[in-house]
Amino acid sequence: MSAVQWPFLLSLALLADPAVQVLFGPQWSATALLVSIMALASLALFPAFMTYPALVSVQRVKDTLILSLIVLPPCIAIIIGSSFAGLPWVAASLFLTASLQIWASLTFVRRSIPFSWREAAAACRSSALVALGTAAVPLAAVTIEGFRFDHPFVAMAVILPGMAAAWIGGLLATDHPLLSEIGGRARILSRLGAGLMALRHRPHRTKPARS
């Protein structure tokens, strides 16, 4: 999941202005800074979707409730406290709340599924390289154009294919495990397509006419 989420979030942080203009119009350009901040802060949330299934798989459903009771009160307090300083600080508070949530979640998971922090970091190394390689494309565009794009539609039309090529190249260069998942899905779709084509070209039997 990190091989998909990290490249997207890093690129979104760099391309927040043209992305906002394309999706919502230039009148929303002022929110681009908030999008960048939240995209960077969300990098820490990549294992969040696995926490509940992991705990359920080892019959630790009760831990999900305990985890929520531990994490939610300080996160709410941080958000409320930052709200007095303004909206940018609310967005920046996600750095604290996201880190707290993931640290607590992984701590609970490690109680039932033992692994070291070093092992977790090693497992994420190839995804980090893929993310940096993909983000190099929008970084080059920002270096040339700045964070404000005068022609956002043209910029996105040029940058997105480059990002896709860099992402695929990063997966191949690092021999990322995601490649096997993509290959497996591609084989399933290929067999499904072949089966549908076979059914489509299968000769139909005509019923004899009644006398």
Side-chain angles (χ1 to χ4, degrees):
M1 187 64 183
S2 56
V4 176
Q5 186 175 3
W6 282 353
F8 171 78
L9 291 174
L10 276 179
S11 301
L12 179 61
L14 292 168
L15 300 174
D17 180 71
V20 169
Q21 290 193 56
V22 168
L23 293 175
F24 304 108
Q27 67 272 21
W28 287 92
S29 293
T31 64
L33 176 61
L34 303 179
V35 173
S36 294
I37 294 173
M38 296 178 69
L40 291 174
S42 298
L43 289 171
L45 293 173
F46 71 96
F49 78 101
M50 297 186 300
T51 301
Y52 181 78
L55 291 175
V56 170
S57 66
V58 293
Q59 300 180 353
R60 303 290 295 183
V61 180
K62 183 178 67 174
D63 284 353
T64 60
L65 175 60
I66 299 174
L67 179 61
S68 298
L69 293 176
I70 292 174
V71 171
L72 288 181
C75 288
I76 293 173
I78 291 171
I79 293 173
I80 293 175
S82 61
S83 66
F84 293 100
L87 193 56
W89 285 98
V90 175
S93 69
L94 184 59
F95 281 102
L96 289 176
T97 56
S99 300
L100 177 60
Q101 290 177 46
I102 294 307
W103 174 80
S105 298
L106 292 181
T107 299
F108 270 76
V109 171
R110 290 176 68 222
R111 292 166 54 185
S112 303
I113 308 174
F115 63 89
S116 67
W117 295 109
R118 181 175 296 180
E119 290 172 337
C124 296
R125 186 181 298 117
S126 58
S127 294
L129 294 175
V130 172
L132 292 174
T134 305
V137 176
L139 180 60
V142 167
T143 303
I144 297 171
E145 294 288 334
F147 284 95
R148 292 280 299 181
F149 288 77
D150 295 329
H151 305 286
F153 285 93
V154 176
M156 296 297 280
V158 172
I159 294 171
L160 290 179
M163 287 172 50
W167 181 69
I168 294 172
L171 293 177
L172 293 172
T174 59
D175 194 21
H176 199 281
L178 182 60
L179 287 174
S180 60
E181 294 293 329
I182 296 175
R185 299 299 184 274
R187 286 191 293 271
I188 293 174
L189 291 176
S190 177
R191 288 196 294 266
L192 179 61
L196 291 176
M197 290 297 293
L199 288 175
R200 185 176 180 181
H201 292 88
R202 186 177 179 181
H204 297 280
R205 295 182 178 178
T206 57
K207 295 182 178 180
R210 295 182 178 179
S211 57

